[in-house]
Structure formats: structure tokens, C-alpha cells
Amino acid sequence: MSKKIGDVVLDLQNISLRFGGVKALTDISFDVREHEVRAIIGPNGAGKSSMLNVINGVYHPQDGKIFFHGQERKQMDPHLAAAQGISRTFQNIALFKGMSVLDNIMTGRTLKMKSNLLLQAIWWGPARNEEIAHRKKVEEIIDFLEIQHIRKTPVGRLPYGLQKRVDLGRALAMEPKILLLDEPMAGMNVEEKQDMCRFILDVNDQFGTTIVLIEHDMGVVMDISDRVVVLDYGKKIGDGLPDEVRSSPEVIKAYLGAGH
Amino acid sequence: MPEQANIAAPDGLHTFPRLLLNHARMRPQAPAMREKHLGIWQTWSWADVAERVRALACGLAELGFKRGDNLAIIGDNRPHLYMMMTAAQCLGGVPVPLYQDAVADEMLFVLQDAGVRFAIVEDQEQVDKLLEIKDRVGTLEHIVYDDPRGMRHYNQPFLHDVHELMAMGRIHDRNHPDFLAGEIEQGHFDDVSVMLYTSGTTGKPKGVCQTHAAFIAAAQGGIQVDRMTADGDILSYLPMAWVGDHLFSFAQALVCGFTINCPESADTVMNDLREIGPTYYFAPPRVFEGLLTQVMIRMEDAGKLKQRLFHHFMAVAKRCGGDILDGNSVGAGDRFQYWLGNLIIYGPLRNVLGMNRIRVAYTAGAAIGPELFSFYRSIGINLKQLYGQTETCAYVCLQPDGQVKADTVGAPAPGVEIKIADNGEVLVKGPMLLKGYYKRPDATAETINADGWFMTGDAGFIDDDGHLKIIDRAKDVGKLHNGSMFAPNYIENKLKFFQHIKEVVCFGHDREMVCAFINIDVGAVGNWAERRGIAYSGYTDLAGKPEVCELIRECVEKVNADLAHDSMVADSQIHRFLVLHKELDPDDDELTRTRKVRRNFVADKYAVLIDALYGGKATQFIETEVKFEDGRRGKVAADLKIVDAKTFPIVKRAA
């Protein structure tokens, strides 16, 4: 299997992020290429989630530049990032617990809906046609993620592994160009992890989506990523192919402590 | 009825392709198949199906499929897979459906034995399995897949998308317009129409060759007994490799002309059942049992008022529901209560179960608990039993309406003769008998005796009403040391009727007492434990809880009390038992793919536990290797408690 990894789509240069006196990220630079699976790893508190939040505009770094498709990004908000095709999932699932799987994924289409609120409310004319078209897209995602059997189940009643899958479904509903996954396998058993890996690789392969993921499970990271960035205490200590990173002395030190 | 008689009767309709073409001609717009795709039910009319079958058959011919070739079919119930069966038959080939959840190595034997050249599979998962073993199946030339998902990077020239195959077929058809009609014309009713492999409870699976005539006869008999009509619906969700599905979803659908409905996925069957509301439904007893368990679990979580209403009206139904269904006379008071119950309990309950439109429901394959059976009948579902095996097209006995009993499998079906041999074995004769085992004349000769009787291997007798009653597998019936009869299945079934018990294996042949292994039902016992605040982490942990052992002991003692009343089996009371630390699983070869216990295999594998049971030990440590679905292995270990159950003195029945 060969896939074409394209040009740099996201280039982060010398990013530094501080919360008051706490330095979350210090002078970090790395890039993400089109169609690749890019992993960010590091011990707890290394700044991985902060990095993701910088990418989709939740945090604004004090220093550094972000280039998206070659253009420098100025003021950024999450909804602008979403409109540009960056979507994400969350470490602590942030779904609407009382709503069905179908409705949850449907919310991922909101940005794509054009018709006005009034027409949507009475479900008439263009709004109705639009919703049917969106529903079709959502059904394709449901089929893709093999969650047909829970289509109408309220998300709060689902086991954790399935909720994670719904979360991914909602992110996919935006048809993102870049998908940010914050610990997609945390708290899963082996079987659920395997399923999730398969879905991530399928998304990357079938839709050509660029994926940036944070993950703790080293086996998973090494298996599915094309390139890996390693953070430790807000600094970049490694960047490269999985094998290179695995054998880097600095990374080993960060993970296993000195003396090994 | 007249419509269906017209369709099935005319001369010349003696093969399945001809039946299909006849439906397409007589009632082209009637629905033949439905499948839920992207959340919406899609319908194929008989004309659509005929057109696709035509394209598929021509496509197969284009690839080089010839008369007598075998076509392996592997996957969940999908319209294209059913169509492929008829397509192969059009060309005089034989479809060989395989169990889709088998791992590659299990499929290997069948594929080699059948010398399969062509295979149609459902999806990437099945393609991967075939690629894994393709080197060892020298004959395999072409693989067609139904679902293209994930197949983008597979560029092997022998892999074909089913739509690509149909496109090829349509071109072939245009160039040779008379080709297919000629092929269908050559089809003969005595040709083998399908090859179904036995699940192999003992030894290697055998390919059972059934002819068009046999399956059509079996289908017609069933249709006649149940007065089925062409406007019916069936949910096709049982494995295509199983004879029952072939009879109901393929043979009867083609003979009678009702609609088959393919569920969206294996997990959505319950939803699909509710949406389709089939008129004709088949499920093995464990499915009915599972449904009832779910209902009961949900009732226990319901409010007090609902619970009281439910229990009150279930008592009414128990009293008179069965009689009302059978058309017996029932007092006006009960009739009114039942009417009221139907309005507020039974009707909604049937609706929740997806059984509102059911005219006939069947169960077979294992004994069904009398209470379970009468529960469904009492709420107005015409649940009946049938008896048959792969070798007889699942068509030997049927329960006619109005003569339904929980403990028999019914009267001989039209055209079937039954005889009980001297050793108690049930012998069968009729048009639905197998033509032979594939390439195994020796095995054929062993099962069909010189007078043409098929030996079922089941021990049974015919009761006063002429109904067949099955006790056990003839070879499983053994003797205890004191010489009294030991029919393990009989006892196991009694235990399995408890909702907390999922599987049981009894031992006792050539021993002084009966002991048992028990698997608990995680759903039911888990719920029971939760309501009592008993924390557990998984099956092994739950099974080891002393409270659970106590719960199971109560069940065992109830069965013992019951057995004490039946002088034939009173000595078979269970003296000691243990709750197994893992669920018996087909992946570990402990069950067959149809989920029957492989008794001897289990006995060998857990010999140490049997020794502990009979050796009087109180606990026994065991470590077992388990195979996961993806082929990886792991280990489960536990200290099993062995529990003594109370036995009862034999109650002599007053003569």
C-alpha cells in the first residue's frame, strides 16, 4: 500500500505559549504534510493538548507563527478553524449525552447548513432538501464507522469505546481536511483500540484526510503514524519517523528516566 | 393462496432459476428482496432480481464458470449473495454457502473438499481470509466481493467487484442473447441445487448435496401446512450456510414468492425486526430465550404499577392465551381479560419484539423450555416447532396449527415417513432426503440404510397423538453405573431453561452420579448482581462469586426436585457442579458454529475439572488458553469452587 504524502499544509514556527508564568510550550516548530498521520507524543503535562488547542485556535500563542496552506494565520478562533477544514475530537468526550448518535453526528454538519433558522424550524422547502442531503452524508458516516445499531440510541447510554467512535463521527461529519484527535484510544480495551486504529487509517486512506493525533499507547503510535513529534515539558525533543524517534536517546530518557 | 398455487404448480417449474423467472414474468413489480442501506430500506422487485441474476450468471460464465462448478458463498445475508446462488444454479453450478464467522483455517477444509473455483464474499474481511489461504486452495481462481469498502488498494487480477461482474455479464448477454435461456433449459430437477456442509459435531464437516427437487418438495410441504402466501415477509438473518435459512429465505421464498429482508448488520437485527415486522419468523430457542430475558430484565427495572399490570396480565395469558390461539373454548370472563390485556400489554409487547404481524414463527435446533414456549404462544404469537436436519432439508416434522405441544416436534410433514428403529433411533424417508455426501459414498451408505431410510442419529419416540418426541442424540444416551438411563441433553435443557444459565454440560455415562459444568448468562446474572450491589469485572470474576454459585445451586436443586418426579431419569439428579471460568466458545472449538456443545472435546479439555468433580475436591485451579476473534491467544485462569447440590428421593408415581 502506498499513499501520496503531499506538501506541507500546516507549518508551526517557534510557537511559545504561556499561561501567566507557566510555560506550556516553548519555541516549538514542526510541520504537517498533506495526507499524513502525524503523531504528537510525550509524557503527562508535556503540552500535547495545548499544542492541539493552538492548532485549532483555542489558545493564542504569544510567540511564533502558524502557516496554513502557506498563508500566515492571524487571529484564529475555533469556529474559523472549523470553517477552514480543521476539526477535532476531545480527550474527555464532549458529546451531547441526551441526544441520539444520529443527532450528535448531525451537529457536525451545522457549519455546512445554509438555510435559515426559520425554514429549518418548520422543516420546509430548501431547508428540508438540505437536511435530507446532510442526513445522507451522516448515514454514510454511520455506515463507515459501523454504528448502525446505535443510530437512535442516546449517547449517554453507550459504552465509552462507542462514544469515542461517535465523537470521531461528528468530527468527520464536517468533512475536514485536517482532523485533530486528542487521545482517541485512551481508556479503551485492546479490541476497541484495534477498531479505532482501523477507522483512523481508513479515514486517512479513503478520504485522504490529514490526521494529527495525540496518543499515549506507543504501540499504536508507532504502527499508524507516518511521522512523530515528541514533546517534553513544553519543548520539542524529537521529530521524525517512528523508528528514528524510538531510538533517539533523548526520547528514551524522557520516557524511561535517566540512567537507562 | 390461489396465487401461490398458480405460481408453484405449473409444469416445468422444477428448478430454482425457473421459479425465479416465473415470478419475474407473473408478478414483476412485487417486492422480492429488501435491504437496508444508509438507513433506508431499498427494495428489489422480482423483475430487478431476475435482471441481476441474469447479469451475474452471464458474468460468471464470462469468467469461465461451468456446469458442475462449485461457488463458495461467504458473508452475512446480502441480496447479492442470495442472487449469486440462483446465478450459479442457472449455469448448472452448485452454491456452497460457508459460515461467515469461521476463521480462515476452518474454511480451508470446505474450500479444498468442494474444489471451489469461484467465491463470492461479502466484504474486505472475507476477502482477506480467502487471500490468507488462497495458496492452499489450488483450485480457487476468482473472488467476487459485494462491498467495495476498503478494497481500493487490492489490485489482484482475480478480485472482482460484484458490479464489475454484472457489467461484464450484461455485455456477454448482449453478445449471446440466447446463452442463458439455453443453460437454464438444461437444468434438471435432479441436479444438485446446493451443497450445505454439516457443522461437524463429530469429525470433519461433510458436504450434503441436495437437489432442486428435494428443496422444492420441502418448501412446498411447509407452505402447504402453514398456508403461506406471496404477500409475506421474512427477516433473513441466520447464517446462509445453515439449512434452515436456505429453506426459509431461499427455497420457500422462491416457491411461494414472499419477500426476504436483509438486516443492515448483525447488530441491528432487533431494530430491523421491529421495522419490517415479518409475517414469518424463524429463530433458534436461544434467540427467543434472549428476547424473553431482555423483556424480564427491563420489566424488573420498570415502575411498580407497570410491573403489577404486566404480572397480572401475564397470569391471564398463561391461563387462557394458548387456548385462545388454538381456538379452544374459553370462558367469557377470561376472554374479556385477555382482550384487555391484548390492548395494553400483549399488543405493545409484541410490537416491541417486532412480532406484531407474525402469522407463523418457528423454532428448532434445540429443545425449547415449555414455559418459554408457552410464554410466546400465550401473548398471541403462533410459535411452533419443527424438526429436521441438513440431510433432510430441515423438513421432517412440523407442528400443524391447533396441535402444538411444547415437548414434541410435531407430526410428520406431508410426504415424509417416519419410523423408530429398535434402538430408539428415528428413521426418515421422503422426497427431501439428500442425494449423497459430496465425494463420500461411504458416509452416504452409512447414513442411508439398504431400505432407503435415513438414520437421523436422534433417539425419540412417537406419542399417542402421532407426534414425534426427541429425547437426545442416540449416541449421547448413556447409562449410569446402576444401569439407569442417562440422557445428558434432557437434563441440560432443563437447566438451560433458567434465564441465569446459558450453557450446561452434564457427565454421567459409566459413572455413579451426574455432575455438570455450567456457564452463566452474563446479561441476566450481571443484572441480578448489579441490583444486589455485587461488583464484578468480567465473566470470570462474576462466575466465581459465591453469591452466583448459590444462585445457580438453587436452579440445580429445582431441576433435581423436578427430575425426582420422572422415574425414567430420577437417578440423573445432579450431585455436584461447578461454574466454568470462561464461556464455551466456537472459537475455542468447544461449540460448533451452530452453538452445540462438543461434548467429548469439552470432556477432554477440562478432564482435570471432571476429576475434581468426581474426586470430591472442593476447589480446583485451572488455566485455559482462549482464542480471540482476530486469532490472537490469551489465557484465563481461576480457582473454581465445586458445589454440592441437594438431591431428592425418587417420587414413585401412583400407578
Side-chain angles (χ1 to χ4, degrees):
Chain A
M1 263 208 251
S2 69
K3 62 175 179 180
K4 275 231 303 278
I5 292 182
D7 297 333
V8 172
V9 283
L10 188 67
D11 193 6
L12 300 132
Q13 293 180 357
N14 312 98
I15 300 289
S16 294
L17 176 71
R18 289 183 301 274
F19 300 109
V22 182
K23 287 182 176 175
L25 300 169
T26 314
D27 195 27
I28 292 177
S29 305
F30 70 95
D31 59 16
V32 179
R33 290 174 176 277
E34 205 170 358
H35 301 324
E36 78 174 340
V37 179
R38 188 72 148 123
I40 305 176
I41 64 171
N44 280 335
K48 305 182 297 291
S49 291
S50 299
M51 196 68 237
L52 226 53
N53 281 327
V54 166
I55 295 177
N56 84 327
V58 177
Y59 295 157
H60 305 281
Q62 281 80 1
D63 295 308
K65 291 176 177 169
I66 301 173
F67 293 90
F68 186 57
H69 283 296
Q71 289 200 322
E72 187 176 351
R73 230 167 60 172
K74 296 290 184 204
Q75 257 324 29
M76 179 51 78
D77 271 333
H79 78 271
L80 288 175
Q84 286 178 358
I86 299 178
S87 77
R88 72 170 294 179
T89 67
F90 295 88
Q91 187 175 352
N92 315 310
I93 300 169
L95 293 164
F96 302 101
K97 303 261 183 228
M99 271 159 55
S100 71
V101 169
L102 184 72
D103 289 340
N104 263 289
I105 300 179
M106 206 72 180
T107 59
R109 303 288 300 174
T110 315
L111 264 181
K112 305 234 170 224
M113 298 207 183
K114 305 276 186 300
S115 54
N116 74 46
L117 191 65
L118 185 68
L119 286 181
Q120 282 181 9
I122 58 172
W123 207 58
W124 180 80
R128 180 181 159 153
N129 293 337
E130 189 182 32
E131 178 154 340
I132 289 171
H134 285 300
R135 170 75 189 267
K136 181 152 187 294
K137 192 73 207 166
V138 169
E139 283 291 345
E140 279 167 21
I141 290 165
I142 288 177
D143 184 56
F144 180 85
L145 294 174
E146 295 166 15
I147 46 177
Q148 298 98 331
H149 59 295
I150 49 166
R151 190 184 275 131
K152 300 266 170 76
T153 314
V155 163
R157 281 198 359 222
L158 296 176
Y160 188 73
L162 277 177
Q163 291 196 13
K164 281 269 190 191
R165 221 189 278 181
V166 176
D167 196 16
L168 176 62
R170 183 177 58 179
L172 283 178
M174 277 182 48
E175 299 176 59
K177 299 209 176 53
I178 299 181
L179 182 59
L180 311 177
L181 304 175
D182 196 349
E183 300 205 14
M185 337 257 174
M188 287 190 172
N189 64 31
V190 179
E191 210 170 310
E192 288 170 334
K193 276 185 188 173
Q194 284 181 340
D195 281 347
M196 201 49 152
C197 281
R198 191 160 55 84
F199 287 123
I200 292 173
L201 289 174
D202 280 353
V203 169
N204 179 243
D205 181 51
Q206 287 201 18
F207 305 143
T209 312
T210 307
I211 289 171
V212 180
L213 80 134
I214 294 176
E215 187 47 62
H216 270 302
D217 187 317
M218 277 307 168
V220 168
V221 170
M222 297 302 166
D223 277 353
I224 70 173
S225 358
D226 296 304
R227 289 191 301 158
V228 182
V229 174
V230 193
L231 303 184
D232 189 20
Y233 292 113
K235 298 198 178 78
K236 184 168 99 169
I237 58 165
D239 188 355
L241 301 174
D243 280 338
E244 292 169 12
V245 166
R246 199 195 325 241
S247 49
S248 146
E250 272 213 74
V251 176
I252 295 173
K253 199 175 125 199
Y255 265 86
L256 301 175
H260 281 270
Chain B
M1 271 92 24
E3 187 186 9
Q4 153 239 332
N6 281 342
I7 291 159
D11 285 343
L13 296 181
H14 50 59
T15 66
F16 288 109
R18 291 176 198 221
L19 283 165
L20 171 67
L21 293 184
N22 190 54
H23 283 296
R25 209 163 36 234
M26 307 289 287
R27 37 205 288 278
Q29 293 315 316
M33 293 184 182
R34 284 193 202 101
E35 184 192 27
K36 199 174 183 186
H37 182 63
L38 295 183
I40 296 170
W41 287 96
Q42 314 283 337
T43 308
W44 282 272
S45 69
W46 285 99
D48 297 335
V49 171
E51 195 277 332
R52 289 207 171 191
V53 166
R54 190 176 180 87
L56 289 169
C58 292
L60 278 177
E62 180 75 25
L63 286 180
F65 190 88
K66 288 195 295 293
R67 195 155 287 276
D69 274 341
N70 292 330
L71 170 76
I73 297 180
I74 312 169
D76 287 332
N77 315 59
R78 295 266 84 95
H80 281 141
L81 267 50
Y82 282 111
M83 291 177 201
M84 267 310 231
M85 285 199 176
T86 330
Q89 291 169 345
C90 285
L91 300 173
V94 182
V96 185
L98 273 70
Y99 283 98
Q100 72 274 24
D101 57 349
V103 295
D105 282 322
E106 290 174 356
M107 292 181 177
L108 182 65
F109 174 79
V110 172
L111 295 173
Q112 284 173 337
D113 187 58
V116 164
R117 283 180 63 210
F118 292 81
I120 169 131
V121 302
E122 185 193 359
D123 54 9
Q124 184 192 8
E125 181 189 347
Q126 307 293 353
V127 169
D128 285 345
K129 285 190 207 166
L130 287 189
L131 291 180
E132 187 184 329
I133 52 174
K134 188 166 184 298
D135 292 341
R136 284 176 282 166
V137 187
T139 49
L140 187 57
E141 289 173 28
H142 293 282
I143 301 171
V144 182
Y145 54 87
D146 183 32
D147 181 358
R149 177 168 166 206
M151 297 294 301
R152 273 193 331 138
H153 297 289
Y154 291 64
N155 43 20
Q156 290 90 332
F158 55 82
L159 288 176
H160 313 275
D161 187 316
V162 73
H163 292 279
E164 180 197 324
L165 184 78
M166 284 192 279
M168 271 161 59
R170 286 181 187 122
I171 295 169
H172 181 278
D173 194 24
R174 229 172 324 182
N175 297 335
H176 311 87
D178 298 328
F179 166 77
L180 198 68
E183 288 290 321
I184 293 174
E185 197 56 38
Q186 283 182 53
H188 189 261
F189 59 81
D190 205 28
D191 289 346
V192 174
S193 73
V194 68
M195 209 153 89
L196 300 164
Y197 273 79
T198 58
S199 51
T201 321
T202 49
K204 287 279 182 201
K206 295 189 287 268
V208 177
C209 300
Q210 290 288 11
T211 62
H212 290 273
F215 256 113
I216 291 178
Q220 281 171 339
I223 290 166
Q224 187 194 326
V225 169
D226 289 314
R227 299 186 299 280
M228 276 186 249
T229 53
D231 61 355
D233 275 294
I234 185 168
L235 188 73
S236 306
Y237 70 102
L238 290 159
M240 291 177 70
W242 178 63
V243 59
D245 185 69
H246 195 75
L247 176 66
F248 304 125
S249 303
F250 183 82
Q252 289 190 340
L254 275 168
V255 171
C256 183
F258 54 73
T259 312
I260 69 171
N261 298 279
C262 299
E264 195 168 15
S265 78
D267 298 326
T268 60
V269 169
M270 280 317 298
N271 279 329
D272 297 330
L273 187 69
R274 209 154 40 222
E275 286 172 9
I276 287 296
T279 57
Y280 185 32
Y281 180 65
F282 182 93
R286 75 188 143 78
V287 170
F288 285 108
E289 210 177 310
L291 285 175
L292 178 60
T293 309
Q294 269 181 32
V295 169
M296 289 306 182
I297 289 174
R298 279 165 65 177
M299 272 327 293
E300 286 189 36
D301 293 340
K304 277 277 171 291
L305 177 69
K306 285 183 189 165
Q307 278 195 21
R308 284 184 58 184
L309 274 175
F310 178 78
H311 290 301
H312 171 74
F313 282 108
M314 285 326 293
V316 173
K318 199 171 180 176
R319 199 160 64 226
C320 63
D323 285 333
I324 288 175
L325 192 64
D326 284 336
N328 299 342
S329 69
V330 173
D334 272 352
R335 216 169 254 284
F336 173 75
Q337 287 238 36
Y338 190 83
W339 173 83
L340 199 62
N342 198 31
L343 210 61
I344 61 175
I345 302 283
Y346 321 138
L349 180 56
R350 283 200 306 267
N351 198 19
V352 165
L353 295 170
M355 298 186 181
N356 234 352
R357 293 172 62 216
I358 281 184
R359 297 175 202 155
V360 189
Y362 273 110
T363 185
I368 184 163
E371 284 188 13
L372 182 64
F373 190 66
S374 53
F375 168 81
Y376 284 97
R377 290 193 63 78
S378 72
I379 61 167
I381 294 164
N382 188 14
L383 177 62
K384 307 198 287 183
Q385 301 188 65
L386 58 77
Y387 170 70
Q389 40 280 105
T390 313
E391 287 86 346
T392 55
C393 299
Y395 175 78
V396 173
C397 286
L398 294 168
Q399 291 182 326
D401 283 343
Q403 304 179 31
V404 177
K405 289 193 270 187
D407 57 349
T408 75
V409 293
V416 178
E417 283 178 75
I418 291 187
K419 190 167 92 170
I420 305 294
D422 297 337
N423 64 352
E425 191 173 346
V426 179
L427 305 184
V428 181
K429 203 186 235 180
M432 71 305 162
L433 282 193
L434 72 164
K435 192 172 187 178
Y437 291 110
Y438 190 64
K439 289 188 195 157
R440 292 286 304 275
D442 55 320
T444 313
E446 266 173 39
T447 38
I448 301 187
N449 71 15
D451 302 328
W453 290 95
F454 168 71
M455 292 180 270
T456 59
D458 289 324
F461 61 88
I462 293 173
D463 75 2
D464 300 338
D465 299 327
H467 286 211
L468 181 65
K469 187 170 178 176
I470 302 291
I471 311 172
D472 203 339
R473 293 294 296 169
K475 66 172 175 46
D476 286 340
V477 176
K479 282 194 164 32
L480 292 171
H481 262 168
N482 67 6
S484 60
M485 184 181 82
F486 168 64
N489 246 312
Y490 186 78
I491 309 164
E492 288 160 11
N493 285 334
K494 275 189 181 293
L495 274 168
K496 282 197 276 182
F497 297 152
F498 289 98
Q499 58 159 344
H500 296 129
I501 297 180
K502 188 165 182 196
E503 199 59 74
V504 185
V505 193
C506 283
F507 304 94
H509 180 56
D510 277 346
R511 304 219 185 234
E512 68 279 11
M513 61 179 180
V514 176
C515 292
F517 291 171
I518 288 172
N519 262 175
I520 53 173
D521 185 296
V522 186
V525 178
N527 192 279
W528 175 88
E530 271 167 35
R531 271 183 288 111
R532 276 158 189 76
I534 303 170
Y536 65 97
S537 62
Y539 180 89
T540 311
D541 188 28
L542 184 61
K545 296 278 176 207
E547 295 92 339
V548 172
C549 288
E550 193 56 31
L551 175 76
I552 301 300
R553 192 169 65 90
E554 283 167 23
C555 298
V556 170
E557 286 172 359
K558 275 183 207 155
V559 167
N560 282 348
D562 195 25
L563 287 172
H565 286 276
D566 199 340
S567 57
M568 284 273 277
V569 287
D571 285 321
S572 299
Q573 294 182 44
I574 295 165
H575 289 248
R576 286 159 70 77
F577 73 93
L578 55 81
V579 180
L580 279 178
H581 56 303
K582 73 175 274 287
E583 290 187 88
L584 297 177
D585 194 313
D587 285 341
D588 296 324
D589 298 326
E590 292 153 343
L591 302 179
T592 65
R593 287 280 158 207
T594 47
R595 309 200 82 86
K596 288 182 187 150
V597 176
R598 291 184 139 131
R599 197 172 294 282
N600 295 334
F601 181 87
V602 171
D604 284 348
K605 180 166 179 180
Y606 298 110
V608 54
L609 294 181
I610 297 182
D611 291 344
L613 279 170
Y614 287 99
K617 282 192 186 177
T619 58
Q620 173 66 44
F621 174 77
I622 182 147
E623 187 174 59
T624 319
E625 186 169 90
V626 290
K627 229 189 283 177
F628 296 109
E629 264 186 17
D630 59 2
R632 283 174 316 109
R633 285 155 196 280
K635 276 196 166 23
V636 182
D639 265 313
L640 299 187
K641 278 183 266 309
I642 294 173
V643 186
D644 289 300
K646 194 159 63 181
T647 54
F648 298 85
I650 299 170
V651 181
K652 287 271 182 275
R653 205 184 291 181

